Amino acid sequence: MIPTYDKYKLTAKERRDSIIISYIGLFFATYIFYHSIIISVASGLLIPFCLKYYAGSLAEKRRDLLTVQFRDVLYSLSASFAAGRHMRDALYEARDNLDTMYAGDSPMLVEISDMLSKIDESRAAEEEVFKDFAARSGVGDIQSFFDTYFICRMTGGDINRVVSRTSAMLIDKIGIEKEIKVLVSQKRFEGKIISLMPVIVILFLNIASPGYVEVLYTAFVGRLIMSVALAGIAYAYYMTSKLTEIEV
């Protein structure tokens, strides 16, 4: 089944592993803040949110991989159109080129093979095939390329020149996006470490001086303070992820 790239469906193994890891993490995190087995056990109610977050991160990684591979397709298409080939023949060459660079189950190879199969075997219109892929990809650059291609073909423009120029611009844009993601990934990692520091400090105080923090686990005000602290850490982690989402 050809996927929709804005969503990711976890496999049985991925779901099982993420449930186990999420529950262990939630259990120990809540126990550090509350010293309550009941609350720690009840923290399992947050597992659906963890699964949703994990699936979203996998969907983003898959879209990033699709975008990088699409850049390689643009290189091939640009060369093929410059040689006077039509889109169908250019796609065959792009598939052959990708086959030497990526595994057979890589998303762009699967998509090109599916498009060619629909065009050759099912006699589907190029426009419908490409529109379907662009819509499912959830990647603006892919949508922009095919929109430009069909507008040029419908208006009788110089397809070779337009495709070459469009490909060059998108290749540069995708390259810049990739460089930004590499730089931002380091800041994201630093932000996650900073978000975890309060948890490490509280754990250290529990081990080194349990009497010093005992009031935080016995008095109502102490539990309220720990609840606010836990909510603040979660919010800081969320904001770190949002602030490092940079679109070009």
Side-chain angles (χ1 to χ4, degrees):
M1 182 179 178
I2 303 299
T4 299
Y5 291 89
D6 59 346
K7 295 180 181 179
Y8 185 90
K9 185 177 181 180
L10 298 173
T11 64
K13 182 179 183 302
E14 289 172 338
R15 188 177 181 83
R16 183 189 67 239
D17 293 346
S18 60
I19 288 175
I20 294 173
I21 295 172
S22 298
Y23 190 63
I24 292 173
L26 289 168
F27 184 92
F28 282 104
T30 51
Y31 188 79
I32 290 172
F33 278 84
Y34 295 104
H35 281 193
S36 170
I37 295 296
I38 295 176
I39 295 177
S40 297
V41 171
S43 67
L45 296 173
L46 298 175
I47 286 179
F49 297 98
C50 297
L51 293 177
K52 183 178 180 180
Y53 176 81
Y54 181 55
S57 65
L58 290 180
E60 182 181 358
K61 289 181 180 178
R62 187 172 60 177
R63 278 197 308 273
D64 290 342
L65 177 60
L66 182 72
T67 303
V68 171
Q69 293 182 355
F70 183 70
R71 181 183 62 177
D72 297 325
V73 170
L74 289 177
Y75 281 120
S76 181
L77 291 180
S78 181
S80 297
F81 274 99
R85 293 180 178 83
H86 296 291
M87 176 61 82
R88 175 182 170 279
D89 296 330
L91 285 176
Y92 271 108
E93 288 193 0
R95 186 179 67 176
D96 293 340
N97 292 333
L98 285 181
D99 195 38
T100 63
M101 301 167 61
Y102 300 104
D105 59 349
S106 59
M108 202 64 234
L109 261 174
V110 173
E111 290 291 347
I112 291 180
S113 297
D114 179 68
M115 286 188 285
L116 289 172
S117 175
K118 289 178 179 178
I119 293 171
D120 290 343
E121 298 175 12
S122 303
R123 301 300 178 187
E126 279 188 3
E127 182 176 0
E128 295 302 321
V129 172
F130 295 150
K131 277 186 176 180
D132 174 66
F133 166 55
R136 287 187 295 100
S137 70
V139 180
D141 294 331
I142 296 177
Q143 183 74 58
S144 298
F145 175 79
F146 286 120
D147 286 346
T148 303
Y149 168 74
F150 281 112
I151 290 172
C152 183
R153 199 176 73 170
M154 290 172 62
T155 57
D158 187 346
I159 292 182
N160 294 345
R161 183 181 178 187
V162 171
V163 168
S164 296
R165 293 187 65 179
T166 304
S167 298
M169 288 188 292
L170 291 178
I171 287 169
D172 290 340
K173 182 175 181 289
I174 293 172
I176 293 171
E177 288 177 341
K178 185 178 180 181
E179 291 177 5
I180 290 175
K181 285 183 180 294
V182 171
L183 295 174
V184 167
S185 62
Q186 181 181 354
K187 298 301 178 183
R188 269 190 188 176
F189 179 75
E190 293 174 0
K192 291 176 181 178
I193 295 297
I194 293 173
S195 298
L196 288 174
M197 285 303 297
V199 180
I200 297 173
V201 171
I202 293 172
L203 179 61
F204 175 77
L205 290 174
N206 273 276
I207 296 173
S209 182
Y212 182 76
V213 294
E214 183 179 359
V215 67
L216 295 174
Y217 300 103
T218 56
F220 172 77
V221 175
R223 290 188 176 274
L224 182 61
I225 291 173
M226 295 299 272
S227 298
V228 172
L230 184 59
I233 292 170
Y235 182 72
Y237 183 87
Y238 171 78
M239 288 303 298
T240 299
S241 301
K242 286 296 180 182
L243 290 173
T244 51
E245 289 181 2
I246 300 176
E247 295 186 4
V248 180

